[in-house]
Amino acid sequence: MNNNENIIKLEQVVFSYPGSNITTLNHLDLEINRGDRLGMMAPNGSGKTTLLHTIMGLCKPNSGIIKIFGKQLKNEKDFAPIRTKIGLLFQDSDDQLFCPTVLEDVAFGPLNLGFSQEDAIKIARETLAKLGIEDFEQSVTHRMSGGQKRLVALAAVLAMQPEVLLLDEPTAGLDNKVKNKLINILNNIDITFLVISHEFDFIKAVTDKIYSMEEGRVLTDDKIHIHRHEHVHKHGRHPHVHK
Amino acid sequence: MNNNENIIKLEQVVFSYPGSNITTLNHLDLEINRGDRLGMMAPNGSGKTTLLHTIMGLCKPNSGIIKIFGKQLKNEKDFAPIRTKIGLLFQDSDDQLFCPTVLEDVAFGPLNLGFSQEDAIKIARETLAKLGIEDFEQSVTHRMSGGQKRLVALAAVLAMQPEVLLLDEPTAGLDNKVKNKLINILNNIDITFLVISHEFDFIKAVTDKIYSMEEGRVLTDDKIHIHRHEHVHKHGRHPHVHK
Amino acid sequence: MHISEGVLSGQVLSAGAVIAVTGTAMGLKKIDYDQIVHVAILASAFFVASLIHINIGPAGVHLILNGILGLLLGFAAIPAILTALLLQSIFFQYGGLTALGVNVVIMAAPAVLVHYLFLPFLGRSSKLTFWAGFFAGLFSILFSCLLLGFALWFTDKHFFETSLAIIITYIPIMIIEGIITGFCVSFLLKVYPEIIPKKP
Amino acid sequence: MIEEKFAFGNSFIHRLDPKARIIAVIILSFAAALCDNLNIAILYFIVSIVFIGLAKLNVKDVFKRIKPVFWFLLMLWILLPITFEGEIIYKFYWLEISTEGIIMCCKITIKSITILLFFTSLVATMNIASLGNGLHKLYVSDKMIFLLLMSYRYIAVIEDEYKRLLRAAKFRGFKPKTNVHSYKTFAYLAGMLFVRASLRAQRVHQAMLCRGFNKKFYTLDVYESDRSNFIFLIGVFITLATLVVLELYQGLFFGN
Ligand SMILES: Nc1ncnc2c1ncn2[C@@H]1O[C@H](COP(=O)(O)OP(=O)(O)OP(=O)(O)O)[C@@H](O)[C@H]1O
Ligand SMILES: Nc1ncnc2c1ncn2[C@@H]1O[C@H](COP(=O)(O)OP(=O)(O)OP(=O)(O)O)[C@@H](O)[C@H]1O
Ligand SMILES: [Mg+2]
Ligand SMILES: [Mg+2]
């Protein structure tokens, strides 16, 4: 496999939310190659979620070029087929699980891809089994815990058999057990991915490179100074102040 | 100040959600003394949020004793005046902010406490200034970033001048800058608090003692084995597997 | 605001069902596939808002808020209200199946009417917005009451006094719905004007 | 709040195809609603009790469920006999109680409870997914079914949001009273619900697009039609035909 094959390429992309005068993405460049396992760590509001939505064609850039699988994408029509090949895990699983039962939710994607009813169910069951949550098949999503929902949402995305995964803060609010399960899954999956997280340990454990964002641009320099809080301290009432 | 003064005391509290056959809190004991800076770290679904809600009188225990400020509380009437003295920061700040602007939101509490319009606004402005977010005064909350919302929610709670703070995962989804700001605020505030978090570094930086929960009980032993993920690793496709 | 099962005559029930089905079909036609999630989740919000409990002196009432839903959705409010009422009957047994059509008409017709009457006044000035909202809330309940009264009266002329009694008991609710709708519309316009549709 | 208490049972009715149950509930309810004879109405009531028995529902839970109706009926019993014009059977100062009013009350009471019991035994015994499935097979518009399923899905989420918002307000000293401040606060809470619903709708729509949604809704078929559905519907038709004939020729049977 050509390891330098460009899967996603953004060139000079500019985007600002309608009605806002802030340029959220400002002449942004980004390349994701097949086999990449990228991490992204950047402050709140720096535009990480917006970036993922732009890749998926959910936010239409004001200017710039988006190339996916080597083809330049311009309008809704170009993006529609691409969306099934890129799996986006949303920041809030409740946004992503909208069918009555877990099985239907996971089968939703394959059905849209044109699989028959039986095949879709078969794919859904296999995916659930792969993540070790096959017991939830008939559960009603809104009665599940945060961690369980996150795994079901991941199953729903994986059932589309995407070529790239974009994960938006998959670990927020999860305990270490589920976090380790996720680490495990990501480390054993053969897929290109970009994961956003605020947790250094997690990102470090699953990715090869860590990017950041600043002023609407991606910083790819491997030497980015990610300020890690190495010095955990016990303290009194007036501790050392972090700047 | 008597440092051993009991502020909150739970004795043998049993609670299960109506319709559920799981005992979420199972003969739980907990003591919070004036000046305590407690951390709590426990798996998803172990009952941390439920515990905080029980302290606030939102979940009515099946049996057991709740004493706050030395007085035993039994029904809604007993709890109502207590709630304004205990500040609870919700797991999701969106749940806490419902007024049109930030200033109105922060002034909402003081107004309900009977302060005049001017006084309430004055208190709100002071609190915002203390947290360094006075510029957001006229902002609309749902257009703010996650970190900003969290700080506004904290301001709304602090404006009530509570004697104890209960913080439910205040750092989930926050970047390091805001996290450090929170650490700073908590370390410089003279208030008793209990903070729930899944992040060891954060808890370690702001608290003196770390508790955990298991089988519906609080483990106060300082020697609890909190599994810390010390060994961050770079790896290939088949890394060491975490159990 | 519901008419219970077993009260209305066959003619009234079928008239209600026919109008409701036609209205729903019209509403569905106006919803395109990009808006359908929006309508569905606003219907959920409408359902939940109807659980909000408000004090009037010693008594309490639940909000109705069909006025706001009408302002926000126009014709699409008809299927949204049908959805909410059907789910209500599934979960709580307020009303059942036969009166569903009539109940949809009672709640949805005023909602649509209010949309065309009051939406043009929203956003002109903060005072006008509040009062447009106030009257939208008040009139939607008033119209609903009148429709309910008509449904009873058509069933049996003897229901006249009963209808009158119902309308009178709803007067305080009209005023409260007016106040709440007024504040709510002002809130929405300030906080999230995108949710208010373009002028009809 | 939303507990589908009756949806998860194991009885003859629970195993029926949703389609058959929907057809049955519609014809039975309308027949009962149109019935104009107290004696026949009582027969419909007995049929509805049989259905509750067939579904093996807990009587206490069923009673609890239809309780709201009793409040309505109570109001009716207070209001109707004195406001309904007709032959006066009792006069207390200016209060006049009419026979017609009383008979009307009896009819409405029996009929409304009957229709609710039909609904409880036949519809409340499915979960929403099956209901959607049944409606789909009956050619109800896909958009309508989608609206129903989606709306159901997010009611619990939005209700949670509302509860937490109200809680937060109470924590900050808010006490609901009869005054403008209270109404304004509730208006803000309701407004916030609509705002958050709309924002969530945007995200859900995006999530659907990401999963290849192309303006077509699919329903997973899990029920297979077997003979019991057919037999059930035949049974319903026979019962119904008997009752209708009885009502048409009531004079012969009840002598009035
Ligand atoms: N719908 C919207 N309309 C207007 N502005 C928006 C909208 N969504 C986001 N923004 C703004 O765009 C900027 C980038 O937001 P984005 O959600 O991409 O940040 P993020 O990096 O994902 O942050 P977080 O770590 O909190 O998830 C923020 O300043 C935010 O306020
Ligand atoms: N309203 C409810 N009804 C029934 N069960 C509930 C309810 N809320 C929570 N539970 C259950 O109670 C248990 C404790 O939930 P709780 O929210 O207190 O956990 P937590 O420790 O705060 O978890 P997390 O880290 O995910 O926030 C869980 O098993 C949960 O499924
Ligand atoms: Mg984000
Ligand atoms: Mg919690």
Side-chain angles (χ1 to χ4, degrees):
Chain A
M1 194 192 293
N2 176 1
N3 233 11
N4 261 331
E5 188 192 334
N6 255 194
I7 296 194
I8 295 177
K9 188 165 182 178
L10 272 61
E11 286 174 30
Q12 296 291 312
V13 168
V14 176
F15 175 81
S16 53
Y17 280 98
S20 156
N21 45 10
I22 300 159
T23 332
T24 310
L25 305 182
N26 193 1
H27 296 281
L28 174 145
D29 292 312
L30 174 73
E31 264 182 48
I32 301 180
N33 296 324
R34 193 173 293 282
D36 272 356
R37 308 160 67 78
L38 299 175
M40 163 93 66
M41 227 178 143
N44 290 122
S46 55
K48 306 179 293 299
T49 301
T50 311
L51 172 60
L52 298 193
H53 285 191
T54 309
I55 295 176
M56 298 297 276
L58 301 171
C59 295
K60 292 275 142 55
N62 312 6
S63 69
I65 297 174
I66 301 177
K67 276 190 196 160
I68 296 182
F69 302 121
K71 225 186 92 193
Q72 187 176 340
L73 308 180
K74 284 177 183 156
N75 48 33
E76 188 61 25
K77 235 186 188 160
D78 298 340
F79 276 105
I82 290 304
R83 288 195 190 122
T84 61
K85 292 188 191 142
I86 306 181
L88 172 61
L89 189 75
F90 278 59
Q91 208 161 343
D92 182 351
S93 318
D94 264 323
D95 296 335
Q96 203 156 8
L97 303 173
F98 41 77
C99 295
T101 64
V102 167
L103 188 68
E104 279 176 274
D105 234 316
V106 181
F108 181 87
L111 279 173
N112 285 326
L113 292 182
F115 284 98
S116 72
Q117 191 117 327
E118 297 89 64
D119 286 348
I121 293 181
K122 199 168 139 257
I123 294 175
R125 291 221 165 106
E126 278 168 13
T127 317
L128 287 172
K130 206 154 62 182
L131 301 189
I133 45 173
E134 60 272 42
D135 294 345
F136 293 127
E137 191 182 300
Q138 285 306 322
S139 303
V140 177
T141 38
H142 69 88
R143 285 186 217 276
M144 306 177 81
S145 86
Q148 294 164 347
K149 275 190 211 164
R150 200 68 56 100
L151 291 175
V152 174
L154 186 61
V157 167
L158 290 178
M160 311 270 299
Q161 288 150 331
E163 300 187 31
V164 194
L165 265 182
L166 307 174
L167 308 165
D168 200 348
E169 298 189 31
T171 57
L174 293 191
D175 65 40
N176 287 329
K177 225 167 89 198
V178 186
K179 242 179 249 176
N180 287 339
K181 197 164 185 179
L182 255 178
I183 293 179
N184 233 326
I185 292 168
L186 288 178
N187 281 336
N188 289 307
I189 210 170
D190 189 13
I191 208 169
T192 310
F193 65 77
L194 167 67
V195 52
I196 293 177
S197 171
H198 293 294
E199 288 180 67
F200 189 75
D201 286 352
F202 173 75
I203 281 217
K204 203 78 183 156
V206 295
T207 64
D208 299 327
K209 269 191 257 173
I210 304 186
Y211 288 1
S212 184
M213 280 188 76
E214 217 177 84
E215 297 175 354
R217 263 175 250 193
V218 175
L219 306 180
T220 55
D221 192 336
D222 279 55
K223 280 160 212 100
I224 314 163
H225 179 64
I226 291 190
H227 177 86
R228 193 179 177 212
H229 222 65
E230 284 297 358
H231 50 306
V232 160
H233 34 212
K234 282 262 178 198
H235 49 75
R237 191 70 14 127
H238 296 289
H240 143 144
V241 168
H242 296 252
K243 292 265 158 64
Chain B
M1 196 193 294
N2 176 2
N3 235 11
N4 261 332
E5 187 192 335
N6 255 194
I7 296 195
I8 296 177
K9 189 166 184 174
L10 272 63
E11 286 173 31
Q12 296 292 311
V13 168
V14 176
F15 174 81
S16 53
Y17 281 97
S20 156
N21 45 10
I22 302 160
T23 332
T24 310
L25 307 182
N26 192 3
H27 297 280
L28 175 147
D29 292 312
L30 174 73
E31 265 183 43
I32 300 180
N33 296 324
R34 193 173 292 283
D36 271 357
R37 307 160 70 76
L38 299 175
M40 163 93 66
M41 225 179 146
N44 289 122
S46 56
K48 306 180 294 298
T49 300
T50 311
L51 172 61
L52 298 193
H53 285 187
T54 309
I55 295 176
M56 298 298 273
L58 295 171
C59 297
K60 292 275 142 53
N62 311 3
S63 69
I65 297 175
I66 301 177
K67 276 191 195 158
I68 295 181
F69 303 121
K71 228 185 90 191
Q72 188 176 340
L73 307 181
K74 282 175 185 155
N75 48 32
E76 189 60 25
K77 233 189 190 157
D78 298 341
F79 277 105
I82 290 303
R83 285 191 192 134
T84 59
K85 293 190 190 141
I86 305 181
L88 173 62
L89 190 74
F90 280 53
Q91 206 161 344
D92 182 351
S93 334
D94 270 326
D95 296 333
Q96 209 154 4
L97 304 172
F98 46 78
C99 294
T101 64
V102 168
L103 188 68
E104 281 174 88
D105 235 317
V106 181
F108 182 84
L111 274 176
N112 285 325
L113 290 183
F115 284 98
S116 72
Q117 191 106 349
E118 297 90 62
D119 286 350
I121 290 181
K122 199 167 140 257
I123 294 174
R125 289 224 164 101
E126 278 167 14
T127 319
L128 287 172
K130 206 153 63 185
L131 302 189
I133 45 171
E134 62 272 40
D135 294 343
F136 293 124
E137 197 182 292
Q138 288 305 322
S139 303
V140 172
T141 40
H142 75 92
R143 282 188 215 280
M144 304 175 81
S145 86
Q148 295 162 348
K149 277 189 218 164
R150 199 66 57 102
L151 292 176
V152 174
L154 186 60
V157 167
L158 290 178
M160 310 273 298
Q161 287 148 334
E163 299 186 32
V164 194
L165 266 182
L166 305 175
L167 309 165
D168 199 348
E169 298 190 32
T171 57
L174 292 193
D175 65 43
N176 286 329
K177 225 167 91 197
V178 186
K179 244 178 246 176
N180 287 338
K181 197 163 186 178
L182 254 179
I183 292 179
N184 232 327
I185 292 168
L186 288 178
N187 281 337
N188 288 306
I189 212 171
D190 190 13
I191 208 169
T192 311
F193 66 78
L194 167 67
V195 51
I196 292 175
S197 172
H198 293 294
E199 289 180 67
F200 187 76
D201 287 350
F202 173 76
I203 281 217
K204 200 78 184 156
V206 295
T207 65
D208 299 327
K209 269 190 259 174
I210 305 185
Y211 289 1
S212 185
M213 282 189 75
E214 216 178 87
E215 295 174 354
R217 263 175 250 194
V218 174
L219 306 180
T220 55
D221 192 338
D222 278 55
K223 281 163 212 99
I224 316 163
H225 178 65
I226 292 190
H227 176 85
R228 193 178 177 212
H229 223 66
E230 284 296 359
H231 51 308
V232 159
H233 33 211
K234 281 266 180 195
H235 49 74
R237 192 70 16 123
H238 297 288
H240 142 146
V241 168
H242 297 253
K243 292 262 156 65
Chain C
M1 179 171 302
H2 291 84
I3 282 193
S4 187
E5 298 300 323
V7 179
L8 299 176
S9 70
Q11 288 97 315
V12 175
L13 288 179
S14 27
V18 169
I19 299 173
V21 168
T22 319
T24 304
M26 278 168 69
L28 286 175
K29 216 166 161 195
K30 293 219 170 176
I31 307 172
D32 71 29
Y33 282 90
D34 293 330
Q35 295 171 321
I36 192 154
V37 182
H38 190 254
V39 177
I41 301 187
L42 283 193
S44 325
F46 170 67
F47 181 106
V48 173
S50 74
L51 302 173
I52 297 180
H53 190 84
I54 301 261
N55 294 343
I56 316 185
V61 291
H62 287 286
L63 287 182
I64 301 172
L65 295 188
N66 54 341
I68 290 187
L69 199 69
L71 286 176
L72 296 183
L73 292 182
F75 265 95
I78 305 174
I81 285 175
L82 169 62
T83 304
L85 292 188
L86 189 57
L87 288 173
Q88 274 187 355
S89 56
I90 290 172
F91 296 136
F92 315 122
Q93 234 19 316
Y94 297 159
L97 207 56
T98 64
L100 189 60
V102 176
N103 283 328
V104 168
V105 175
I106 288 176
M107 300 270 274
V112 175
L113 194 63
V114 146
H115 178 88
Y116 289 96
L117 284 182
F118 293 103
L119 192 60
F121 297 102
L122 294 188
R124 296 259 176 92
S125 75
S126 63
K127 231 188 200 145
L128 196 60
T129 301
F130 176 83
W131 287 110
F134 178 84
F135 285 112
L138 187 137
F139 279 129
S140 59
I141 304 300
L142 178 64
F143 293 153
S144 290
C145 282
L146 290 177
L147 283 172
L148 190 146
F150 275 127
L152 286 174
W153 189 68
F154 275 122
T155 291
D156 195 324
K157 303 291 178 278
H158 293 116
F159 273 128
F160 186 75
E161 289 180 36
T162 317
S163 310
L164 218 57
I166 291 174
I167 294 176
I168 289 167
T169 51
Y170 266 95
I171 287 176
I173 297 180
M174 289 172 204
I175 294 169
I176 283 177
E177 285 267 330
I179 297 174
I180 300 245
T181 308
F183 279 126
C184 194
V185 166
S186 311
F187 176 86
L188 290 175
L189 223 67
K190 187 164 181 184
V191 164
Y192 191 55
E194 296 94 311
I195 201 177
I196 310 270
K198 303 277 168 305
K199 307 280 137 75
Chain D
M1 164 205 73
I2 299 172
E3 20 174 314
E4 293 154 277
K5 213 175 223 157
F6 305 123
F8 307 97
N10 188 17
S11 73
F12 168 68
I13 299 243
H14 283 92
R15 281 190 299 271
L16 284 175
D17 187 338
K19 182 172 126 187
R21 285 192 257 168
I22 294 170
I23 295 176
V25 80
I26 291 175
I27 53 175
L28 285 170
S29 308
F30 274 96
L34 296 183
C35 158
D36 201 30
N37 178 301
L38 193 54
N39 297 314
I40 307 279
I42 290 171
L43 291 181
Y44 276 103
F45 177 64
I46 293 169
V47 174
S48 70
I49 300 267
V50 171
F51 274 95
I52 294 285
L54 279 178
K56 294 192 192 150
L57 298 182
N58 180 329
V59 176
K60 222 167 97 190
D61 286 341
V62 172
F63 193 75
K64 231 198 231 155
R65 190 181 153 86
I66 63 174
K67 210 165 63 186
V69 174
F70 289 120
W71 291 112
F72 169 80
L73 291 175
L74 185 71
M75 199 183 78
L76 204 74
W77 277 96
I78 295 172
L79 209 59
L80 258 196
I82 55 169
T83 56
F84 207 85
E85 293 157 31
E87 191 185 317
I88 313 293
I89 51 163
Y90 184 76
K91 200 169 164 172
F92 183 74
Y93 297 103
W94 47 270
L95 278 180
E96 297 172 341
I97 295 181
S98 67
T99 332
E100 277 84 350
I102 301 266
I103 293 178
M104 197 67 174
C105 281
C106 290
K107 262 195 238 165
I108 292 175
T109 304
I110 298 274
K111 277 159 69 173
S112 59
I113 292 176
T114 304
I115 294 168
L116 290 187
L117 291 183
F118 280 140
F119 195 83
T120 306
S121 56
L122 291 168
V123 178
T125 47
M126 339 177 185
N127 59 36
I128 293 278
S130 325
L131 179 65
N133 203 290
L135 292 173
H136 177 73
K137 284 196 207 149
L138 291 169
Y139 307 105
V140 170
S141 134
D142 275 346
K143 271 187 189 167
M144 189 63 225
I145 296 174
F146 178 80
L147 217 54
L148 187 69
L149 293 179
M150 185 63 100
S151 181
Y152 162 75
R153 163 66 179 90
Y154 287 99
I155 282 177
V157 174
I158 293 178
E159 199 212 357
D160 265 4
E161 284 177 352
Y162 171 65
K163 276 189 184 155
R164 289 192 296 248
L165 284 172
L166 183 63
R167 222 170 245 183
K170 285 192 175 161
F171 285 170
R172 291 203 257 149
F174 173 59
K175 287 180 211 77
K177 287 188 199 128
T178 310
N179 58 22
V180 172
H181 173 67
S182 293
Y183 294 159
K184 194 163 151 185
T185 304
F186 276 116
Y188 287 171
L189 291 177
M192 207 55 182
L193 279 189
F194 283 110
V195 171
R196 295 180 63 181
S198 171
L199 291 171
R200 186 175 295 278
Q202 265 172 35
R203 299 193 301 262
V204 172
H205 179 63
Q206 292 178 337
M208 289 175 62
L209 289 179
C210 290
R211 304 255 298 278
F213 173 68
N214 45 16
K215 317 207 163 173
K216 182 162 169 26
F217 301 113
Y218 297 88
T219 324
L220 285 189
D221 254 321
V222 280
Y223 286 88
E224 60 242 53
S225 301
D226 60 7
R227 285 245 310 280
S228 61
N229 292 307
F230 187 66
I231 296 171
F232 169 74
L233 277 184
I234 295 285
V236 168
F237 281 124
I238 292 175
T239 316
L240 209 67
T242 317
L243 288 171
V244 170
V245 169
L246 268 180
E247 185 169 0
L248 289 179
Y249 298 99
Q250 49 178 295
L252 297 180
F253 299 95
F254 298 107
N256 56 341

